[in-house]
Amino acid sequence: MKWSLILPLLFTITFLIAPIGAQSIANSFFAETGTNAGFYSRVNQKGLDLLSDYLKDRVNRFMAAGDLNFNISSSISPEIKVALLSQRVLSFDETQFRSKLESQPGKGLQWTGKSLNISVSTMFTIETNAGELIGTAPLLIENANIDFLLWTGVNADGHLKTDLVTCKVSGGSGTLQLAASDIGQLGEEWPQVQEYLNANLDQIICPSFHSELVPVVSNRLMNTPLSASLFDQFFINYGLLGPVQFDSDKILLKHRGNTFGILRQGRTRLNDFRLPFRAGNLEVEAESGRMVDFLISNYTLGSLLFWMDQYRKFDYEISKTAQNNSALAGYLRTDCGKDDICAGTIFPALKEKFAAGSVVIKSHTSSYPRLVLNDGKAIIYVDNKIDAYVQQPDRTRRFLTANMAVEVKYDEPKFLDYVFKAKLRIDKFKLTDVSSTVEGIDANSLEFLVNALIELVLNDEMGEKMKGMAFPIIFDFEQHAVDLVFEKDRLRISADYCYGTKCQVKTEESKDGNVDYYDQVTG
């Protein structure tokens, strides 16, 4: 049974957008000493290289549209005033232009655009003691390098957002290509105009590159909400345990990563939602070779199971009223025809003691489920208490109690569009402490009945209990390939992404540790 429920995202701590070195946690509820991350998310240099290519394509597009906009005026000296107003881009050498986005340890993101060669039609006004010179001429910029320094924090509307810290233009030259007669009119003051242009390339280049590129970076990289609308009863907390960590070859985020039930949240959304178990230390391994990695501990997945149990998602009732299934209703009868099979034919003593009745089986957990992640598999251990009744026209009587330990497996795990999905399947069960008032019903005979009910009812219902988990969209491109591997005490998801024509390359076969895994995701 495929499952597709997306759990909403909830951040419950806020950071302040601040200059480098000043970003701090504004809410300390989730940052007590000794807290370990429930999961890590990471964007590697390979992902930043894809975004670099995307930014270059963006530059090509706005240059092709003729958009390098500037309007500057300044007094160079008491005798010289200059005003420049761009009209349109005349030429741009896209073959020489290079784009590179890198993470700078402790500083933030640095984007560099190298070898900018561009000619812009420009209206100019130059005032000197000799008079006023007005006209239009190409402004030629050659071999300029543009450097952005960007910093990511949490802004006022509750999203991770990347903002510009500085923009600098280095190297290169800017030349206003005036006619010889105009240069002659300016005389000795012309070199000062040229020097002014070369010294103020920042004002000419930065505004357009800022408005065109910074929103792209902020939207495509780590643009993750702190909270989202309620869906079902569960939230997963993506709150960070510290500032975004910029390393030399990656960006790393440490998430609290505990799930909780919204109706149990108390009087404030900032409750700590403590669980009966704590997150263990989760080691961050070397790069996977993919663009994005998620390292999810069994603490995060286990906390979801805990709250599902609080809402009795693992409790069952099997009866003619609980399941809309006429065949099952017939199977549960204590009386049936001689050619039929029902509870009364399987257990004749049940028919003798409870004539004209219908069996009702109720199961409830006796402790919260435990999740164990190991190499190639994920198993949920659930301890249950079983009570069986016969419902007759005049009364309902219990005839059996037992304990049942169940092992539930994650089957066919997959990851697409930042949603982790899998099937849940009851793999094993063990019955103990069977106590029955009906002759012939013991652990062995009850096992036969439970096994049939698992095949008929419980596996389908189990598949509906958990329908998916949405992870923060930290790199917003189309998924190209994914590795999904259960490892000891954690789940590792590593994905590559693409855009445009780059997505036309045949998608790599995705891999994980489960032989039943298939790559195509539906629903």
Side-chain angles (χ1 to χ4, degrees), residues 55 57-69 89 118 205 208-210 212-213:
L55 294 174
D57 289 348
R58 181 81 176 189
V59 172
N60 293 342
R61 286 196 296 272
F62 82 78
M63 290 296 181
D67 295 333
L68 184 72
N69 302 311
V89 173
I118 185 172
I205 294 173
S208 292
F209 277 78
H210 179 189
E212 292 286 345
L213 300 189

Side-chain angles (χ1 to χ4, degrees), residues 50-118:
L50 181 74
L51 185 52
S52 298
D53 293 342
Y54 189 82
L55 294 174
K56 180 179 179 180
D57 289 348
R58 181 81 176 189
V59 172
N60 293 342
R61 286 196 296 272
F62 82 78
M63 290 296 181
D67 295 333
L68 184 72
N69 302 311
F70 53 86
N71 184 1
I72 60 175
S73 60
S74 181
S75 295
I76 297 176
S77 69
E79 296 81 20
I80 306 173
K81 294 182 179 179
V82 175
L84 301 174
L85 176 63
S86 62
Q87 291 183 307
R88 67 185 185 280
V89 173
L90 299 174
S91 65
F92 167 61
D93 188 355
E94 65 179 74
T95 61
Q96 293 296 315
F97 186 73
R98 298 288 181 269
S99 169
K100 185 67 174 178
L101 185 67
E102 297 177 295
S103 174
Q104 298 294 323
K107 295 181 179 180
L109 288 167
Q110 181 175 350
W111 176 78
T112 301
K114 293 185 177 180
S115 301
L116 177 67
N117 296 288
I118 185 172

